[in-house]
Amino acid sequence: MDSELTLLTQRLSQAVGDYRVSAVSTVVELAHPVDVVDAGLPIARLELVFRSPHVSGVAVRDPSDESRIGLVTRGRFTSAMNGRLGFGRAVLARRATTEVTDWHPMVVAPDAPVSEVAVRAMERHDERRYDDVLVAADVWQVATTADLVRSLSTQLAVRSLHDPLTGLANRSMLGHALARRCTQAWGTPARVALVLIDVRDFGGVNALHGERVGDVVLAAVGARLRASAPTGADLGRTGGDEFALAATLPGAADDRHASALVGGLRDGIVQALAEPAAGVPVDAWPAVHAVSVVSDAGLASAPMLLQDAHARLREVKVAAARGGGGPDWLDGLGDARAILEGRVTA
């Protein structure tokens, strides 16, 4: 699974850059301005416009009807100029642009969702399926079908790797990120830290307040974690009521120092989640269990970190169910966040 995720993220990065931010939501974010010509423009002059390899199409305005807009794509223009017997240019040279214009192009509003526009574009007849889509903004723009489909594919890929409720990485993606950190830390002084956060009695929240409030609570927990996490950390929702944070310590003096740093990070997360979020009923805001583990210097293993963290979390839950105390919190050092963010060297 890790190799499949690695290949997927590499391909997405090569195709569209940072796959986490490249999946735009509205069509205007993909569109670019298009040249607009009058319907009466001689085709011989229109041919000069298409000499630029960067022009995929032009919009056509009807001076007698301002609400009427047409489109001449490069493919349509080339086909018309070639003609059936190769005499298209000779026949059309002195005629007007209106004769090669598609007066029924697909026109969309600038705030139309990319997903909707891409589906509509691909539903067109074969000869028009790959035509540009006109965007009726303050200045006429076009979006290519290729860009629409690529953006839609990126959206689907991002959604498959992230939790839709919180926007955090899902279990597979968090596991991939943790494995990547372990690989990068191998043979160096760096250590990899993992913090697991379990929302206590989340079933009780759903039972008392309903699943809608439960979803609000989880989304608020995710937002609070994102705001309190150190820069560069990976966050994920790894289960229904379980969250995880992975981070790299560039250096620590010894094992005790590393444990204290990660303990400080864990305590900071617990403190960040102590106060109810705005809009959430006070009695619906849950307490959490939180445990942390840290690898040896240069010997990080994602499976072992996950196994140790879940074992500790299970022990904490059992102790709490029996009425015992929580884990033995280590006193976090004040420079924990700074070291995790790489601003201070140990």
Side-chain angles (χ1 to χ4, degrees), residues 236-286:
R237 182 185 175 195
T238 52
D241 56 3
E242 182 184 286
F243 297 82
L245 179 149
T248 302
L249 282 72
D254 50 34
D255 291 345
R256 182 176 178 79
H257 185 204
S259 296
L261 290 173
V262 180
L265 173 64
R266 178 199 58 214
D267 290 352
I269 291 174
V270 173
Q271 292 173 6
L273 294 173
E275 296 296 325
V280 177
V282 175
D283 59 343
W285 188 251

Side-chain angles (χ1 to χ4, degrees), residues 56-131:
S56 62
V58 297
V60 182
R61 177 179 54 220
D62 186 349
S64 63
D65 185 357
E66 292 295 332
S67 63
R68 192 182 187 205
I69 191 73
L71 178 68
V72 181
T73 64
R74 178 176 289 277
R76 185 183 185 89
F77 180 76
T78 301
S79 177
M81 294 299 282
N82 288 336
R84 287 187 177 181
L85 301 176
F87 296 107
R89 178 175 283 98
V91 173
L92 296 172
R94 296 187 180 182
R95 297 189 182 182
T97 294
T98 186
E99 296 200 26
V100 295
T101 299
D102 173 13
W103 287 107
H104 301 284
M106 183 174 171
V107 181
V108 299
D111 59 350
V114 165
S115 55
E116 174 187 315
V117 176
V119 171
R120 286 177 54 197
M122 296 308 294
E123 287 177 343
R124 294 178 293 183
H125 294 299
D126 290 345
E127 64 272 16
R128 293 185 177 182
R129 179 169 295 167
Y130 300 104
D131 286 358

Side-chain angles (χ1 to χ4, degrees), residues 163-206:
D163 170 47
L165 180 62
T166 63
L168 301 179
N170 62 17
R171 180 192 296 272
S172 296
M173 190 61 184
L174 194 282
H176 168 72
L178 180 63
R180 185 188 67 245
R181 287 182 181 275
C182 291
T183 299
Q184 293 172 343
W186 193 264
T188 74
R191 301 167 187 256
V192 178
L194 178 65
V195 180
L196 287 188
I197 304 98
D198 178 74
V199 178
R200 299 177 62 177
D201 192 27
F202 183 67
V205 174
N206 281 336

